[in-house]
Amino acid sequence: MKQVAPLTLINGRLVLPTGEPQPGALRAVDGRVAALGADAAPQPGDTVIDAKGALIAPGLVDLGVFAIDKPAFHFGGITRAALMPDQGTVLDKPSTVRFAAQSGKPDLWVHPLAAATKGLEGRELAELAMMRDAGARAVATGRRWIADSGTMHRLLSYCAMLGLTVVVHAEDGGLVGNAVATAGEMATRLGLPSAPAEAEALAIARDLALAGLSGARVHFRQVTTARGLALVRAAKSRGMPVTAGVTPAHFMLSDTAIGDFRTFTRLSPPLRSEADRQAVRAALADGTIDVISSGHDPRGPEDKRLPFADAEPGMAGAETLLPLTLALVRDGVIDTARAFQLLAANPAALLGVPAGQLAVGAEADLALVDPDRPWVVDRDKMAAAAGNTPFDKQGVEGRVTALFKGGVQVA
């Protein structure tokens, strides 16, 4: 998508990497940010848009979606999405990676995550170097943990040589089995198959040990328990190249939300205890967690209109990613700059793409955001391919009013 005329956004509040949003303007030329603040005066021939006091923010970079759902992404302010390899045709070959990398252009850029093993079966390594050359920005184990420690060590060693981050699902599969809930009072009351929260910490501990041996960069896509977060925090203090992510469900909801057997709360990893939820919020505040992603996984009635234990995990999260993160700002957990670091700058850096922050020379992936606009999440009115949100009928604040990809308005 080529920007024809320069774009100038005026009367906005610039979301910069540090500090509170500052009143100012932004000018984009040839798809990149050309000027910020006082230097961003409109020039003859510019397309000028009055932001009317809205935040001028970087477009969101959503790390780890399971479907390309462009209407939902545009509604949510997402301009780039890292696609998990768990597709109908697994992203374990250069041809499938290359096709996925082209699938959203020009108004959405898709960054495929290559399957770590063939067929995501956890045994034989896939063609990682060739997939990197075909456009893969990182390697992912998919929805499952690689149980074989030898395979995982070979994967991490190879990715260290290739300069690729490994995106890991952190749950010990042998301990989890067919569990659909976290062991505890709620799972016992409901009679649901459950696994102890320690399944996450066990997986993280092993993978950190192997990462230490190999020197690989590891990103734990979702860390949702106090013990798991403590391990990540300690690894960071030792200087290990490890990062962690989470979705809004795990800082907004605890396992009490599954009390009515509503399958929209059937997630992977499952919802945790209130103590773990509070630990996630503390980890967002202290920098242990680096990325907030949507985990966008739209699933229709054939997957969700089933008994809780039989339903597929996943939620449609793209449209609620921004307002639920802004709720952390209103609660005083983080500030606005930190919110967009978690939503844009950090995932962009992890993927190695020149986006995610407002800086001269960066790609002009931009969002105008009214952080105070109230609206109600309604699964029947969502732009997503399916409305399986655990936040149905919940009031939220924060709405994207305009979205730009490379300086061209797309929503």
Side-chain angles (χ1 to χ4, degrees), residues 228-294:
L229 290 163
L231 289 168
V232 172
R233 189 177 289 114
K236 286 187 169 191
S237 72
R238 298 193 300 271
M240 290 187 66
V242 56
T243 52
V246 76
T247 68
H250 287 93
F251 62 73
M252 294 295 292
L253 303 172
S254 70
D255 59 0
T256 59
I258 70 174
D260 59 359
F261 293 102
R262 185 170 175 77
T263 58
F264 286 0
T265 61
R266 165 79 170 97
L267 305 175
S268 175
L271 293 175
R272 307 299 192 181
S273 69
E274 176 63 14
D276 283 329
R277 186 182 81 91
Q278 293 298 336
V280 169
R281 292 170 74 89
L284 286 162
D286 70 18
T288 301
I289 291 177
D290 305 272
V291 172
I292 299 177
S293 58
S294 72

Side-chain angles (χ1 to χ4, degrees), residues 335-353:
D335 62 17
T336 302
R338 170 78 173 140
F340 283 92
Q341 183 183 48
L342 290 159
L343 293 169
N346 287 351
L350 192 150
L351 295 168
V353 295

Side-chain angles (χ1 to χ4, degrees), residues 67-307:
I68 299 305
D69 198 351
K70 197 177 292 187
F73 292 162
H74 284 171
F75 182 97
I78 297 164
T79 50
R80 295 170 182 261
L83 181 64
M84 292 292 285
D86 315 66
Q87 304 298 308
T89 301
V90 175
L91 303 185
D92 61 356
K93 296 181 179 63
S95 57
T96 56
V97 166
R98 190 175 295 109
F99 180 82
Q102 299 297 322
S103 60
K105 292 182 178 180
D107 53 346
L108 172 76
W109 280 23
V110 177
H111 301 298
L113 303 180
T117 57
K118 292 183 178 179
L120 289 172
E121 294 175 353
R123 293 192 291 269
E124 186 177 355
L125 296 189
E127 299 168 327
L128 303 178
M130 295 176 67
M131 288 190 288
R132 180 198 61 180
D133 296 342
R137 286 289 179 172
V139 172
T141 65
R143 297 179 189 273
R144 293 180 293 178
W145 186 64
I146 294 177
D148 187 290
S149 296
T151 299
M152 189 64 179
H153 185 216
R154 288 192 295 275
L155 170 68
L156 292 168
S157 299
Y158 195 25
C159 287
M161 290 188 293
L162 294 174
L164 289 169
T165 298
V166 182
V167 179
V168 176
H169 179 85
E171 282 186 297
D172 187 307
L175 197 55
V176 169
N178 65 348
V180 299
T182 303
E185 180 181 348
M186 186 57 64
T188 301
R189 285 183 177 184
L190 300 178
L192 293 172
S194 62
E198 285 77 6
E200 179 175 276
L202 285 171
I204 290 173
R206 188 209 66 175
D207 290 343
L208 285 174
L210 295 177
L213 288 174
S214 62
R217 297 195 305 268
V218 175
H219 175 71
F220 295 103
R221 190 172 61 86
Q222 291 198 64
V223 185
T224 61
T225 66
R227 291 190 180 185
L229 290 163
L231 289 168
V232 172
R233 189 177 289 114
K236 286 187 169 191
S237 72
R238 298 193 300 271
M240 290 187 66
V242 56
T243 52
V246 76
T247 68
H250 287 93
F251 62 73
M252 294 295 292
L253 303 172
S254 70
D255 59 0
T256 59
I258 70 174
D260 59 359
F261 293 102
R262 185 170 175 77
T263 58
F264 286 0
T265 61
R266 165 79 170 97
L267 305 175
S268 175
L271 293 175
R272 307 299 192 181
S273 69
E274 176 63 14
D276 283 329
R277 186 182 81 91
Q278 293 298 336
V280 169
R281 292 170 74 89
L284 286 162
D286 70 18
T288 301
I289 291 177
D290 305 272
V291 172
I292 299 177
S293 58
S294 72
H296 189 67
D297 194 2
R299 291 186 179 271
E302 69 280 1
D303 290 331
K304 286 294 189 180
R305 199 168 293 165
L306 296 165

Side-chain angles (χ1 to χ4, degrees), residues 1 59-60 62 68-81 104-109 296 318-319 322 366-369 383-384 399-405 408-411:
M1 180 171 289
L60 308 191
D62 198 356
I68 299 305
D69 198 351
K70 197 177 292 187
F73 292 162
H74 284 171
F75 182 97
I78 297 164
T79 50
R80 295 170 182 261
K105 292 182 178 180
D107 53 346
L108 172 76
W109 280 23
H296 189 67
E319 291 164 74
L322 177 61
L366 310 167
L368 294 184
V369 178
R399 189 78 173 260
V400 173
T401 59
L403 187 67
F404 305 84
K405 181 75 187 75
V408 178
Q409 188 164 359
V410 296

